[in-house]
């Protein structure tokens, strides 16, 4: 069977055609796919500005300009992987606790077909139910978590399920290989001076944003690849890891963040890892009037596709 290709700009104007990720064919399920682009239109787990329920739609729209070949890395993902957009998970927008179970069930289905899920969020709550499904399939996994925030709160407003809690819940559920968890880009103000140490005390590696300033993150990623080895890895990318100068369209903005090129170095630095899933979360279109935040999110999701196992890379320079 020939591989699905994105609808090209010479076949249909970029502003027309299907509103799927990269204008790929849509599919009813992940059956027969290597990669399933999936939306989770959710913002009922957010603590500050809302709007990420509109994220998947806007990421799909802004992905329309993406062409199939990665000129920086040589990756040609659509020549090697069968990809489609399987639409959105039908969360219950009136019930967050029901929604996380709906998400786990949906990802059980995706993973049962052997497809790698690449997810468009949605607020960061969604990563916990995805990791629960991943654990059933792969066991505990390594985690690369790019974010301004640690997202390891025990509770928020007394609740265990919220966008500031997913990695605490995933840790409780035994979803993570604690010596292979990397949090990159953390910064801002905290509730206590030791807020970022909870993960460190569990064996996680926490790289705060200030340690990233003014330098290439390629050496950091080489170190992370060496530490992860062959273990299965999940990549969770919160768009608020980027400085708001680049990506203002998100709910919980913190200045002093990563640059776009550092974000690209992180994702491209995942080439060679055994990636088994990834997400791009927290794009909030109401705070993104230019569309740039969604556009960067779409590009980062494409870059994740380009580093999946089975996609050859040009040799690292
Ligand atoms: Mn987050
Ligand atoms: Mn965040």
């Amino acid at each position: 069977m020939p591989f699905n290709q994105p609808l090209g700009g010479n076949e249909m104007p970029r502003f027309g055609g299907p509103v799927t990720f990269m204008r790929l064919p849509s599919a009813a399920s992940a059956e027969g796919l290597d990669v399933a682009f999936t939306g989770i239109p959710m913002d009922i787990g957010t603590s500050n500005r809302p709007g990420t329920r509109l994220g998947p739609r806007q990421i799909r729209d802004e992905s329309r300009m993406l062409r199939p070949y990665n000129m920086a890395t040589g990756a040609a993902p659509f020549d090697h992987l069968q990809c489609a957009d399987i639409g959105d998970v039908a969360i219950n927008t009136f019930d967050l606790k029901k929604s996380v179970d709906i998400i786990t069930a949906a990802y059980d289905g995706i993973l049962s077909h052997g497809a790698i899920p690449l997810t468009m969020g949605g607020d960061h709550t969604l990563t916990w139910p995805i990791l629960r499904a991943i654990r059933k399939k792969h066991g505990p996994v390594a985690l690369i978590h790019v974010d301004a925030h640690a997202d390891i709160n025990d509770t928020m407003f007394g609740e265990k399920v919220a966008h500031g809690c997913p990695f605490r819940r995933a840790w409780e559920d035994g979803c993570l290989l604690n010596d292979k968890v990397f949090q990159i880009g953390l910064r801002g103000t905290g509730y206590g001076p030791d807020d970022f140490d909870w993960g460190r005390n569990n064996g996680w590696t926490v790289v705060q944003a200030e340690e990233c300033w003014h330098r290439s993150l390629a050496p950091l990623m080489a170190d992370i690849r060496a530490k992860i080895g062959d273990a299965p890895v999940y990549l969770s990318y919160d768009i608020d890891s980027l400085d708001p100068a680049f990506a203002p369209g998100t709910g919980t903005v913190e200045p002093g963040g990563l640059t776009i090129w550092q974000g690209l170095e992180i994702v491209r630095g995942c080439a060679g890892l055994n990636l088994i899933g990834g997400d791009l979360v927290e794009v909030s279109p109401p705070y993104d009037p230019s569309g740039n935040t969604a556009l960067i999110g779409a590009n980062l999701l494409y870059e994740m596709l380009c580093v999946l196992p089975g996609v050859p890379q040009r040799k690292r320079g």
Side-chain angles (χ1 to χ4, degrees), residues 7 9 27 64 99 117 132 146 166 245 270 299:
L7 184 59
R64 69 191 192 223
S99 291
R132 287 194 305 195
V146 193
C270 291
N299 275 267

Side-chain angles (χ1 to χ4, degrees), residues 62-87:
E62 294 296 343
S63 74
R64 69 191 192 223
M65 195 61 228
L66 285 164
R67 307 165 191 89
Y69 295 97
N70 191 320
M71 304 311 287
T73 68
F78 302 105
D79 294 350
H80 300 277
L81 298 173
Q82 183 67 294
C83 305
D85 187 326
I86 64 165

Side-chain angles (χ1 to χ4, degrees), residues 147-149 151 238 240 252:
D147 203 322
H149 311 97
D151 291 354
D238 186 327
D240 72 26
T252 323

Side-chain angles (χ1 to χ4, degrees), residues 6-39:
L7 184 59
N10 296 314
E11 302 165 79
M12 167 66 76
R14 292 280 171 194
F15 38 84
V19 188
T20 54
F21 187 74
M22 289 185 72
R23 307 196 307 172
L24 280 162
S26 55
S29 80
E31 189 176 1
L33 300 180
D34 299 310
V35 180
F37 288 98
T38 310

Side-chain angles (χ1 to χ4, degrees), residues 128 131-143 166-178 181 198 204:
W128 169 49
L131 286 171
R132 287 194 305 195
I134 295 250
R135 188 202 53 192
K136 288 188 241 173
K137 166 108 181 172
H138 296 282
V141 295
L143 172 72
F167 300 105
R168 182 72 159 249
R169 297 287 89 78
W171 171 80
E172 285 175 349
D173 286 345
C175 298
L176 304 174
L177 295 167
N178 288 305
V181 174
W198 185 89
W204 302 5

